[in-house]
Amino acid sequence: MKKIVFVMMLLFGMMGFPAGTTYESTLIKKQAVLEAKMQPALDSGVTSEMINASVKLSEAWDVEINKVYKLIMEKLPEKEKTKLRNDQRNWVKEKEKKAKEAGKEFEGGTGESLMYSQTELTLTKKRTLELAKHYDKLNGKK
């Protein structure tokens, strides 16, 4: 009976996480669903809809960046944790600076918020995928 349960667990485990699947590829697929859902609002030409969609996507990527950051931190030795923590803090500061700079061209107008939110989204997505690749390397994938 124990053998049957073990074999079933093994089979179900393999179906849920196919060989060769990386954290990065799983994350991209997961987020693509949300991005497709938000695309009509991003393409609407209505500034408020575009901002709301950018903010929602940015928040979703922010959730993911925090997940992968924690996963990486669990695997790193203390010295490398300190480096990653400092790198991440610097990245947050730089992201905010770049988002503010992007909005300055439209300062005072609705375009300011739009450029800020879209820049923040782009940078958060990029950093999340960088961390996902790092996590995959720590796990011997890629």
Side-chain angles (χ1 to χ4, degrees):
M1 182 65 164
K2 287 182 183 179
K3 286 182 182 181
I4 293 172
V5 171
F6 176 75
V7 169
M8 288 178 63
M9 287 174 55
L10 224 142
L11 288 173
F12 284 119
M14 289 170 62
M15 287 189 298
F17 201 76
T21 301
T22 64
Y23 187 92
E24 179 189 14
S25 64
T26 303
L27 179 60
I28 289 169
K29 287 176 189 172
K30 176 184 173 186
Q31 293 299 86
V33 173
L34 181 59
E35 289 176 347
K37 183 180 175 183
M38 294 288 124
Q39 198 60 51
L42 292 170
D43 295 337
S44 72
V46 178
T47 307
S48 62
E49 288 181 17
M50 295 166 72
I51 292 169
N52 289 338
S54 292
V55 169
K56 284 181 184 177
L57 285 171
S58 190
E59 288 171 351
W61 280 103
D62 200 48
V63 166
E64 296 302 330
I65 201 171
N66 288 320
K67 284 181 189 176
V68 71
Y69 175 82
K70 288 176 185 174
L71 289 170
I72 293 170
M73 290 296 273
E74 290 174 2
K75 293 198 163 270
L76 293 178
E78 201 56 44
K79 186 177 179 182
E80 290 181 42
K81 285 181 184 181
T82 301
K83 183 185 180 325
L84 178 61
R85 190 176 301 114
N86 291 334
D87 288 348
Q88 193 65 10
R89 286 177 181 158
N90 290 333
W91 174 81
V92 169
K93 290 176 188 173
E94 190 64 23
K95 175 185 77 165
E96 290 171 5
K97 179 182 168 190
K98 287 180 178 180
K100 285 179 184 176
E101 287 173 4
K104 277 191 179 184
E105 182 179 341
F106 302 95
E107 198 165 5
T110 56
E112 181 177 7
S113 296
L114 180 59
M115 291 306 297
Y116 181 95
S117 64
Q118 288 185 340
T119 301
E120 187 176 56
L121 168 60
T122 301
L123 295 173
T124 302
K125 180 178 177 177
K126 180 181 176 192
R127 178 65 175 169
T128 305
L129 294 174
E130 287 171 1
L131 290 177
K133 285 178 188 176
H134 184 70
Y135 181 71
D136 287 335
K137 285 180 185 175
L138 288 172
N139 287 307
K141 296 182 178 185
K142 276 194 174 182

Short mmCIF file of all heavy atoms in Angstrom, two decimals, residues 94-122:
data_model
loop_
_atom_site.label_atom_id
_atom_site.label_comp_id
_atom_site.label_asym_id
_atom_site.label_seq_id
_atom_site.Cartn_x
_atom_site.Cartn_y
_atom_site.Cartn_z
N GLU A 94 16.39 53.29 -6.89
CA GLU A 94 16.63 53.61 -8.29
C GLU A 94 15.33 53.54 -9.10
O GLU A 94 15.08 54.36 -9.97
CB GLU A 94 17.68 52.67 -8.88
CG GLU A 94 18.18 53.04 -10.24
CD GLU A 94 18.92 54.37 -10.31
OE1 GLU A 94 19.46 54.83 -9.29
OE2 GLU A 94 18.96 54.96 -11.42
N LYS A 95 14.50 52.56 -8.80
CA LYS A 95 13.21 52.41 -9.49
C LYS A 95 12.35 53.65 -9.25
O LYS A 95 11.78 54.21 -10.19
CB LYS A 95 12.47 51.17 -9.00
CG LYS A 95 11.07 51.01 -9.57
CD LYS A 95 10.31 49.86 -8.97
CE LYS A 95 9.81 50.20 -7.59
NZ LYS A 95 8.78 49.30 -7.07
N GLU A 96 12.27 54.09 -8.02
CA GLU A 96 11.47 55.27 -7.69
C GLU A 96 12.02 56.51 -8.38
O GLU A 96 11.26 57.33 -8.91
CB GLU A 96 11.41 55.47 -6.18
CG GLU A 96 10.58 54.40 -5.49
CD GLU A 96 10.67 54.44 -3.97
OE1 GLU A 96 11.30 55.36 -3.41
OE2 GLU A 96 10.10 53.53 -3.34
N LYS A 97 13.34 56.63 -8.41
CA LYS A 97 13.97 57.77 -9.06
C LYS A 97 13.66 57.79 -10.56
O LYS A 97 13.27 58.83 -11.11
CB LYS A 97 15.49 57.70 -8.84
CG LYS A 97 16.27 58.81 -9.49
CD LYS A 97 17.77 58.61 -9.26
CE LYS A 97 18.58 59.53 -10.13
NZ LYS A 97 20.01 59.20 -10.09
N LYS A 98 13.80 56.65 -11.21
CA LYS A 98 13.54 56.56 -12.65
C LYS A 98 12.07 56.79 -12.97
O LYS A 98 11.75 57.43 -13.99
CB LYS A 98 13.99 55.21 -13.20
CG LYS A 98 15.49 55.08 -13.29
CD LYS A 98 15.90 53.73 -13.85
CE LYS A 98 17.42 53.64 -13.97
NZ LYS A 98 17.85 52.36 -14.50
N ALA A 99 11.18 56.30 -12.13
CA ALA A 99 9.74 56.51 -12.36
C ALA A 99 9.39 57.99 -12.24
O ALA A 99 8.63 58.52 -13.04
CB ALA A 99 8.93 55.66 -11.39
N LYS A 100 9.97 58.65 -11.24
CA LYS A 100 9.72 60.09 -11.09
C LYS A 100 10.26 60.87 -12.28
O LYS A 100 9.61 61.79 -12.78
CB LYS A 100 10.35 60.61 -9.79
CG LYS A 100 9.59 60.22 -8.56
CD LYS A 100 10.26 60.72 -7.30
CE LYS A 100 9.52 60.24 -6.06
NZ LYS A 100 10.19 60.63 -4.81
N GLU A 101 11.45 60.51 -12.73
CA GLU A 101 12.06 61.17 -13.89
C GLU A 101 11.20 60.99 -15.14
O GLU A 101 11.04 61.92 -15.93
CB GLU A 101 13.46 60.63 -14.15
CG GLU A 101 14.49 61.09 -13.14
CD GLU A 101 15.85 60.40 -13.31
OE1 GLU A 101 16.02 59.59 -14.26
OE2 GLU A 101 16.74 60.66 -12.48
N ALA A 102 10.64 59.80 -15.31
CA ALA A 102 9.80 59.53 -16.48
C ALA A 102 8.56 60.40 -16.49
O ALA A 102 8.11 60.84 -17.55
CB ALA A 102 9.41 58.05 -16.52
N GLY A 103 8.02 60.68 -15.32
CA GLY A 103 6.81 61.50 -15.23
C GLY A 103 7.05 62.98 -15.34
O GLY A 103 6.14 63.75 -15.67
N LYS A 104 8.29 63.41 -15.10
CA LYS A 104 8.59 64.85 -15.10
C LYS A 104 8.28 65.54 -16.42
O LYS A 104 7.91 66.71 -16.43
CB LYS A 104 10.05 65.10 -14.72
CG LYS A 104 10.27 65.09 -13.24
CD LYS A 104 11.64 65.59 -12.88
CE LYS A 104 11.76 65.56 -11.36
NZ LYS A 104 13.01 66.10 -10.90
N GLU A 105 8.40 64.84 -17.51
CA GLU A 105 8.12 65.43 -18.82
C GLU A 105 6.67 65.91 -18.90
O GLU A 105 6.35 66.86 -19.61
CB GLU A 105 8.39 64.41 -19.93
CG GLU A 105 8.18 64.94 -21.32
CD GLU A 105 8.48 63.91 -22.40
OE1 GLU A 105 9.18 62.92 -22.11
OE2 GLU A 105 8.00 64.11 -23.52
N PHE A 106 5.79 65.26 -18.13
CA PHE A 106 4.36 65.58 -18.15
C PHE A 106 3.91 66.17 -16.81
O PHE A 106 2.73 66.08 -16.47
CB PHE A 106 3.55 64.32 -18.44
CG PHE A 106 3.91 63.66 -19.73
CD1 PHE A 106 4.83 62.62 -19.77
CD2 PHE A 106 3.35 64.09 -20.92
CE1 PHE A 106 5.18 62.01 -20.96
CE2 PHE A 106 3.69 63.49 -22.13
CZ PHE A 106 4.60 62.45 -22.15
N GLU A 107 4.84 66.76 -16.07
CA GLU A 107 4.57 67.23 -14.72
C GLU A 107 3.29 68.07 -14.64
O GLU A 107 3.06 68.98 -15.42
CB GLU A 107 5.75 68.08 -14.21
CG GLU A 107 5.77 68.25 -12.73
CD GLU A 107 7.10 68.77 -12.22
OE1 GLU A 107 7.99 69.07 -13.02
OE2 GLU A 107 7.24 68.86 -10.99
N GLY A 108 2.46 67.66 -13.68
CA GLY A 108 1.22 68.38 -13.44
C GLY A 108 0.05 67.86 -14.25
O GLY A 108 -1.11 68.14 -13.95
N GLY A 109 0.30 67.08 -15.28
CA GLY A 109 -0.77 66.54 -16.11
C GLY A 109 -1.03 65.07 -15.81
O GLY A 109 -0.32 64.44 -15.02
N THR A 110 -2.04 64.53 -16.45
CA THR A 110 -2.37 63.12 -16.23
C THR A 110 -1.29 62.19 -16.77
O THR A 110 -1.14 61.06 -16.30
CB THR A 110 -3.73 62.76 -16.88
OG1 THR A 110 -3.67 63.09 -18.27
CG2 THR A 110 -4.87 63.48 -16.21
N GLY A 111 -0.54 62.67 -17.73
CA GLY A 111 0.55 61.87 -18.29
C GLY A 111 1.64 61.59 -17.27
O GLY A 111 2.34 60.58 -17.38
N GLU A 112 1.77 62.45 -16.27
CA GLU A 112 2.79 62.25 -15.24
C GLU A 112 2.55 60.93 -14.50
O GLU A 112 3.46 60.11 -14.35
CB GLU A 112 2.81 63.41 -14.25
CG GLU A 112 3.85 63.27 -13.17
CD GLU A 112 3.91 64.47 -12.23
OE1 GLU A 112 3.05 65.37 -12.32
OE2 GLU A 112 4.83 64.51 -11.40
N SER A 113 1.32 60.71 -14.05
CA SER A 113 0.99 59.48 -13.33
C SER A 113 1.10 58.26 -14.23
O SER A 113 1.52 57.19 -13.80
CB SER A 113 -0.44 59.55 -12.77
OG SER A 113 -0.53 60.57 -11.81
N LEU A 114 0.70 58.43 -15.48
CA LEU A 114 0.77 57.33 -16.43
C LEU A 114 2.22 56.90 -16.66
O LEU A 114 2.55 55.71 -16.59
CB LEU A 114 0.12 57.70 -17.75
CG LEU A 114 0.13 56.63 -18.84
CD1 LEU A 114 -0.58 55.37 -18.37
CD2 LEU A 114 -0.51 57.17 -20.11
N MET A 115 3.08 57.87 -16.93
CA MET A 115 4.50 57.55 -17.17
C MET A 115 5.15 56.95 -15.92
O MET A 115 5.95 56.02 -16.02
CB MET A 115 5.26 58.78 -17.63
CG MET A 115 4.87 59.26 -19.02
SD MET A 115 4.99 57.96 -20.29
CE MET A 115 6.73 57.61 -20.27
N TYR A 116 4.80 57.49 -14.76
CA TYR A 116 5.33 56.97 -13.50
C TYR A 116 4.93 55.50 -13.34
O TYR A 116 5.78 54.63 -13.11
CB TYR A 116 4.83 57.79 -12.32
CG TYR A 116 5.36 57.32 -10.98
CD1 TYR A 116 6.50 57.90 -10.44
CD2 TYR A 116 4.76 56.28 -10.28
CE1 TYR A 116 7.01 57.47 -9.22
CE2 TYR A 116 5.26 55.84 -9.08
CZ TYR A 116 6.38 56.43 -8.55
OH TYR A 116 6.89 56.00 -7.34
N SER A 117 3.62 55.22 -13.48
CA SER A 117 3.13 53.86 -13.24
C SER A 117 3.67 52.87 -14.28
O SER A 117 4.00 51.73 -13.94
CB SER A 117 1.61 53.83 -13.19
OG SER A 117 1.05 54.19 -14.43
N GLN A 118 3.76 53.29 -15.52
CA GLN A 118 4.27 52.38 -16.55
C GLN A 118 5.77 52.11 -16.39
O GLN A 118 6.23 51.00 -16.61
CB GLN A 118 3.94 52.91 -17.94
CG GLN A 118 2.47 52.79 -18.25
CD GLN A 118 2.11 53.20 -19.66
OE1 GLN A 118 2.84 53.90 -20.34
NE2 GLN A 118 0.94 52.77 -20.11
N THR A 119 6.51 53.12 -15.98
CA THR A 119 7.94 52.92 -15.73
C THR A 119 8.15 52.00 -14.54
O THR A 119 8.98 51.09 -14.58
CB THR A 119 8.65 54.28 -15.50
OG1 THR A 119 8.45 55.10 -16.66
CG2 THR A 119 10.13 54.10 -15.24
N GLU A 120 7.37 52.24 -13.50
CA GLU A 120 7.46 51.39 -12.31
C GLU A 120 7.13 49.93 -12.67
O GLU A 120 7.83 49.01 -12.24
CB GLU A 120 6.49 51.91 -11.24
CG GLU A 120 6.61 51.21 -9.92
CD GLU A 120 5.71 51.83 -8.88
OE1 GLU A 120 4.49 51.92 -9.11
OE2 GLU A 120 6.25 52.20 -7.82
N LEU A 121 6.10 49.73 -13.48
CA LEU A 121 5.72 48.39 -13.92
C LEU A 121 6.85 47.72 -14.70
O LEU A 121 7.23 46.58 -14.41
CB LEU A 121 4.46 48.46 -14.79
CG LEU A 121 4.09 47.19 -15.56
CD1 LEU A 121 3.85 46.02 -14.63
CD2 LEU A 121 2.87 47.46 -16.44
N THR A 122 7.39 48.43 -15.67
CA THR A 122 8.46 47.88 -16.50
C THR A 122 9.67 47.47 -15.67
O THR A 122 10.22 46.37 -15.83
CB THR A 122 8.89 48.90 -17.58
OG1 THR A 122 7.75 49.22 -18.38
CG2 THR A 122 10.01 48.37 -18.45
#
